[in-house]
C-alpha cells in the first residue's frame, strides 16, 4: 500500500478526483477480506472505495490506513461511507498548508540558498531531493501507520502537534530560509557584475507589489511570461 | 539535432512531467532538479542549474492544489535546461530566451494536464460498470491508463517543444541586441518579483513569519558580504 501511495493521483480526474487512486491503494489490504478477491465483501469494499475522494496526496495515507482498518474490521457500510466522506476536508486543507505552503517552499529555499552559496549542481539537487523526500516519505509512513492503528478514531491522530502546529512552524522556517536565500540566489544569478544588484532588488520589490495587487487577475507566472516576452521582443525588434 | 539527441530529452521530460502529479511526486519535476538534469543531458548541468534557479523562483508561487490549474514545471524545466545547456557558451541573451521557452512550455503543459484529467474521467466512465462491480482489474486498468497518458503527454510535449524551440532560440539569439547584463537584470528582477510575492503570500498570515524573514535576510546579506 505504501508503494501504491506514490501513484495515488495516477488517474486523477475532475469527477471522482482521486477516488480510483484510493481503491488502487486499498486493494492489497482488501484481499484479506473473507472470500478473497472473488468474494462479495472484497468487491463491495473495492466498489465503495472507488468513489469520489479528495485529499492531499500525502495525507491521504491516513485515510488509506484508516479505511483499510475499518473495512477489515467489518464496520457497517453506511458507517464506512460517512467516515470516508468526513475525512476529505481536514486531509485536504492541512496537507496543503503543511506541504505545498510549508515543506516544499522550505526545501526550495534551502536549495536556492545553497545555489547562491555557489554549491555545485549535484549538491543543490541532492540536498533538495533528500530534504524534501525525508518529509514526504515520513508523512506517508506515519499516515498509513496512524490510520491503520486508529481506524475510526483517526481524527485524534489528525490532532497531532505535527499537523496542528506544523504549518505555522514550517511557514516561519520557510520565511527564514527565503530571507537567507533571496540575496544569495539573486547575487549568483546576476553574476560577477553585482553593481546592479540594488537596482534589481528595488525593481523586484516594485514587481512583487504589482503581482500581489494583481493576484486575483494575474498569477505570478503569467506576469513573468508577459515581462520576459516583452524583454525578448524588445531585444529582437529594436 | 538528431533523434538520438532529442529522444533522451523527450523521455526525461516525460518522467519529470509524470512526477509533477501522477507518480511518484518526489519532486524531480521541480525546476531546480529538472532543468539541471536537462542541462546534464546536453553536457551542461551548471547552466541547467542556472535556468532551474530562475524557474524555481517563479514556480514558488504555484501551489499544486488538487483541481486548480497550474503550469507544468517538470517537462518545461527539462526543455529549458536543455535549451540553455545547448547554447550557454557565450550566447548573449540565451538564459532569457531559455526561460521564456520554459514559461511557454509550462503554460502549454498545464493545458495538456487538464486534457489528460478530462480523458481520465472518460476512461473511468467507460469502465463504470466494472468499477461498480468491484473488479480489481478495472481499478488497475483505469490507474495504468492515467499513468500512461500522463507519461505520453510529457514525452510528446517535451519532444515537440525542444524540436521547435531549439531552432527558434537560435534565430532569436541571432538578432539579440540587449546586453547580457541588461537582459539578465530584467530576468532576475522579474523572477525575484514573483518569488517575493510568493513569500509574502506565504508569511503574511503566519504569525511572526515576517520577523523570521527579516532575520533571514540579515543572515543572507551577511553571508553575501562574506563571500
Amino acid at each position: 500500500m505504501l508503494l501504491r501511495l506514490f501513484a495515488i493521483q495516477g488517474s486523477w480526474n475532475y469527477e471522482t478526483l482521486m477516488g480510483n487512486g484510493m481503491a488502487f491503494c486499498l486493494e492489497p489490504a482488501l484481499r484479506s477480506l473473507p472470500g478473497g478477491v472473488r468474494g462479495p465483501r472484497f468487491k463491495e469494499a473495492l466498489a465503495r472505495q472507488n468513489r469520489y475522494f479528495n485529499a492531499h496526496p500525502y495525507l491521504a495515507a491516513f485515510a488509506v490506513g484508516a479505511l483499510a482498518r475499518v473495512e477489515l474490521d467489518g464496520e457497517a457500510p453506511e458507517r464506512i461511507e460517512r467516515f470516508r466522506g468526513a475525512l476529505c476536508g481536514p486531509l485536504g486543507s492541512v496537507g496543503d498548508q503543511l506541504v505545498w505552503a510549508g515543506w516544499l517552499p522550505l526545501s526550495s529555499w534551502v536549495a536556492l540558498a545553497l545555489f547562491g552559496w555557489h554549491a555545485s549542481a549535484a549538491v543543490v539537487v541532492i540536498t533538495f531531493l533528500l530534504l524534501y523526500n525525508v518529509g514526504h516519505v515520513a508523512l506517508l509512513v506515519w499516515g498509513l501507520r496512524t490510520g491503520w492503528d486508529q481506524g475510526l478514531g483517526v481524527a485524534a491522530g489528525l490532532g497531532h502537534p505535527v499537523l496542528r502546529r506544523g504549518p505555522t512552524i514550517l511557514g516561519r522556517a520557510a520565511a527564514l530560509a527565503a530571507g537567507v536565500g533571496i540575496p544569495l540566489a539573486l547575487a549568483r544569478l546576476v553574476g560577477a557584475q553585482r553593481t546592479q544588484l540594488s537596482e534589481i532588488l528595488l525593481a523586484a520589490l516594485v514587481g512583487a507589489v504589482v503581482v500581489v495587487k494583481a493576484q486575483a487577475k494575474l498569477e505570478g507566472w503569467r506576469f513573468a511570461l508577459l515581462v520576459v516576452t516583452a524583454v525578448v521582443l524588445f531585444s529582437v525588434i529594436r | 539535432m538528431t533523434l538520438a539527441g532529442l529522444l533522451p530529452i523527450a523521455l526525461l521530460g516525460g518522467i519529470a512531467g509524470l512526477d509533477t502529479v501522477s507518480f511518484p511526486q518526489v519532486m524531480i519535476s521541480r525546476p531546480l532538479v529538472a532543468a539541471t538534469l536537462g542541462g546534464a543531458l546536453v553536457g551542461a548541468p551548471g547552466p541547467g542549474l542556472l535556468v532551474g534557479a530562475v524557474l524555481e523562483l517563479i514556480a514558488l508561487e504555484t501551489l499544486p492544489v488538487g483541481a486548480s490549474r497550474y503550469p507544468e514545471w517538470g517537462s518545461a524545466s527539462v526543455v529549458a535546461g536543455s535549451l540553455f545547456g545547448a547554447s550557454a557558451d557565450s550566447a548573449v541573451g540565451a538564459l532569457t530566451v531559455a526561460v521564456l521557452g520554459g514559461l511557454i512550455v509550462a503554460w502549454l503543459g498545464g493545458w495538456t494536464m487538464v486534457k489528460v484529467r478530462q480523458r481520465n474521467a472518460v476512461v473511468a466512465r467507460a469502465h463504470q460498470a466494472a468499477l461498480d462491480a468491484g473488479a480489481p482489474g478495472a481499478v488497475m486498468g483505469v490507474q495504468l491508463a492515467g499513468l500512461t497518458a500522463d507519461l505520453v503527454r510529457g514525452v510528446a510535449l517535451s519532444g515537440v517543444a525542444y524540436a521547435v524551440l531549439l531552432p527558434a532560440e537560435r534565430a532569436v539569439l541571432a538578432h539579440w541586441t540587449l546586453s547580457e547584463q541588461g537582459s539578465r537584470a530584467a530576468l532576475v528582477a522579474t523572477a525575484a518579483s514573483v518569488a517575493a510575492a510568493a513569500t509574502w503570500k506565504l508569511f503574511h498570515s503566519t504569525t511572526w513569519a515576517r520577523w523570521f524573514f527579516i532575520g533571514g535576510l540579515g543572515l543572507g546579506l551577511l553571508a553575501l558580504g562574506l563571500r
Side-chain angles (χ1 to χ4, degrees):
Chain A
M1 283 176 7
L2 177 64
L3 288 177
R4 291 190 179 202
L5 277 166
F6 286 95
I8 194 168
Q9 299 190 106
S11 58
W12 203 99
N13 65 78
Y14 293 109
E15 293 178 10
T16 58
L17 279 70
M18 63 168 65
N20 194 77
M22 287 294 290
F24 171 71
C25 291
L26 279 156
E27 190 265 340
L30 300 181
R31 293 177 207 161
S32 301
L33 284 167
V37 296
R38 297 184 199 282
R41 281 190 62 185
F42 173 86
K43 292 180 192 301
E44 283 164 14
L46 195 65
R48 179 166 44 246
Q49 297 304 336
N50 189 258
R51 293 180 199 139
Y52 171 94
F53 194 83
N54 186 26
H56 186 278
Y58 304 170
L59 265 69
F62 286 87
V64 169
L67 288 167
R69 182 63 182 271
V70 300
E71 291 282 4
L72 294 182
D73 282 350
E75 293 289 341
E78 305 77 31
R79 198 169 189 202
I80 295 174
E81 284 170 14
R82 279 199 306 275
F83 174 61
R84 194 173 186 273
L87 284 171
C88 288
L91 292 180
S93 58
V94 171
D96 290 343
Q97 287 301 309
L98 188 69
V99 182
W100 301 145
W103 192 245
L104 179 58
L106 172 61
S107 303
S108 291
W109 277 118
V110 167
L112 283 165
L114 280 175
F115 162 80
W117 195 247
H118 288 260
S120 69
V123 167
V124 172
V125 166
I126 291 170
T127 301
F128 172 77
L129 288 175
L130 279 178
L131 178 62
Y132 180 83
N133 287 296
V134 159
H136 172 198
V137 175
L139 203 49
L140 290 181
V141 171
W142 177 51
L144 197 57
R145 184 170 295 284
T146 301
W148 174 258
D149 287 345
Q150 300 186 357
L152 282 174
V154 75
L158 298 180
H160 192 282
V162 167
L163 300 181
R164 274 192 302 108
R165 291 165 44 198
T168 300
I169 293 169
L170 289 176
R172 291 171 185 166
L176 176 72
V180 173
I182 283 176
L184 288 171
L186 295 191
R188 184 170 177 186
L189 285 171
V190 165
Q193 296 174 357
R194 286 199 207 163
T195 50
Q196 290 179 311
L197 191 56
S198 50
E199 287 92 336
I200 289 171
L201 285 171
L202 186 60
L205 189 60
V206 171
V209 172
V210 169
V211 173
V212 168
K213 293 285 184 200
Q215 195 175 323
K217 295 176 201 155
L218 184 69
E219 296 151 287
W221 69 270
R222 290 184 197 270
F223 168 81
L225 178 60
L226 285 172
V227 172
V228 178
T229 301
V231 169
V232 170
L233 287 175
F234 175 76
S235 180
V236 168
I237 290 172
R238 71 170 191 162
Chain B
M1 178 179 22
T2 62
L3 189 63
L6 181 64
L7 203 56
I9 293 168
L11 286 174
L12 179 63
I15 292 167
L18 187 71
D19 180 73
T20 301
V21 174
S22 297
F23 175 78
Q25 222 176 27
V26 294
M27 297 301 148
I28 55 174
S29 50
R30 290 303 290 186
L32 270 177
V33 180
T36 303
L37 294 176
L41 275 184
V42 295
L49 177 64
L50 205 62
V51 77
V54 176
L55 289 174
E56 185 73 33
L57 288 171
I58 298 169
L60 280 166
E61 188 230 16
T62 306
L63 297 186
V65 175
S68 65
R69 301 184 178 200
Y70 42 83
E72 196 262 274
W73 294 110
S75 308
S77 300
V78 169
V79 171
S82 302
L83 279 176
F84 187 53
S87 59
D89 290 343
S90 65
V92 176
L95 179 61
T96 306
V97 176
V99 167
L100 178 60
L103 288 168
I104 293 170
V105 177
W107 180 25
L108 289 172
W111 179 81
T112 59
M113 278 176 60
V114 170
K115 294 302 165 192
V116 164
R117 289 173 164 189
Q118 290 170 345
R119 182 188 176 274
N120 287 344
V122 170
V123 170
R125 270 187 258 121
H127 290 81
Q128 200 58 54
L131 291 171
D132 288 343
V139 170
M140 186 67 75
V142 169
Q143 199 73 1
L144 286 176
L147 289 165
T148 306
D150 201 20
L151 179 63
V152 169
R153 176 199 67 78
V155 170
L157 175 70
S158 305
V160 170
Y162 189 72
V164 168
L165 288 174
L166 188 62
E169 179 194 47
R170 286 175 182 163
V172 167
L173 292 178
H175 295 89
W176 195 262
T177 58
L178 264 182
S179 68
E180 177 62 21
Q181 193 177 4
S183 58
R184 193 173 283 210
L187 178 68
V188 173
T190 304
S193 301
V194 179
T199 305
W200 184 86
K201 267 200 279 187
L202 176 77
F203 71 59
H204 83 281
S205 59
T206 302
T207 53
W208 292 99
R210 67 192 66 192
W211 299 111
F212 278 84
F213 176 76
I214 291 168
L217 202 58
L219 288 173
L221 289 168
L222 182 65
L224 195 59
L226 289 173
R227 274 206 66 85

